[in-house]
Structure formats: structure tokens, C-alpha cells
Amino acid sequence: MEISQALEHSQPGLVKRLTTATRQHQLNYRSEQTYLHWISRFVLFHDLTDPALLKADDRRLYLDYLTAQVKVSRARLNQATQALAFLYSEVLTTPETPAAA
């Protein structure tokens, strides 16, 4: 499954909403692609569950997985954290609760 397909499967129209939000915030194309990447991995990690149904604990679980199992660098973990914060604050427009990094 292609990364953008995972997002569409979890919530139809999510890729377009995410792309629109990144462009409204004048993020560059590379940032947009990075956010798509981390958000898609988040959705895949949670078996294509609609991200609107996932809670702060689910975000923490994913970030802990990236740290402990995947062993991503601090910079990559920050990217993932920022991508999720953007998703929940700007795309899904739910209050952002801080995720443990």
C-alpha cells in the first residue's frame, strides 16, 4: 500500500486536507512530504485507524515505538512529533495535547 493510500483509507479526503493546510501555512514542498510520511506511518502503525479517533496516548505509543524500536534520531523524532501536532491542530482541528517525546 502506498503511503498516501493509507491516509485515504483511514479517512477519505485526508491527503487533500493535509496538503491544503500545509500550503495555507506556506510550508515548503519538502516539509509537506515529510509530514505526509510521518502521519502515514502513524496511521499504518495503528492499523489504518482514522486518526480522528486516536487519542494522545496513541500518539505517545507511536512516538515511544519510534524511539525504542526503530531508534530514530532525535531530529526525526522531532519531525514526527511536529507532523502529528500539525495534523491534530491544523487539519483535524482538535485541541493538541502534548505528546511525550
Side-chain angles (χ1 to χ4, degrees):
M1 175 175 292
E2 201 174 295
I3 282 200
S4 60
Q5 289 175 324
L7 289 179
E8 285 301 311
H9 189 272
S10 69
Q11 187 183 106
L14 186 56
V15 172
K16 182 171 174 64
R17 290 173 57 205
L18 182 59
T19 301
T20 300
T22 59
R23 292 180 185 167
Q24 284 176 342
H25 283 29
Q26 298 179 348
L27 300 178
N28 65 36
Y29 179 75
R30 184 65 185 134
S31 295
E32 179 181 307
Q33 294 304 303
T34 300
Y35 280 15
L36 280 168
H37 170 82
W38 288 115
I39 293 166
S40 296
R41 286 185 63 173
F42 173 67
V43 166
L44 287 167
F45 178 80
H46 288 292
D47 298 321
L48 302 176
T49 302
D50 181 345
L53 302 176
L54 298 171
K55 306 294 181 210
D57 287 342
D58 298 310
R59 286 177 264 176
R60 268 192 228 74
L61 182 65
Y62 171 65
L63 295 172
D64 289 346
Y65 163 77
L66 291 177
T67 302
Q69 302 297 317
V70 180
K71 298 188 187 315
V72 296
S73 68
R74 187 72 177 157
R76 298 283 187 244
L77 184 63
N78 286 341
Q79 286 178 344
T81 303
Q82 290 172 340
L84 293 178
F86 186 84
L87 172 68
Y88 283 94
S89 66
E90 302 298 330
V91 180
L92 299 177
T93 58
T94 59
E96 174 60 32
T97 23

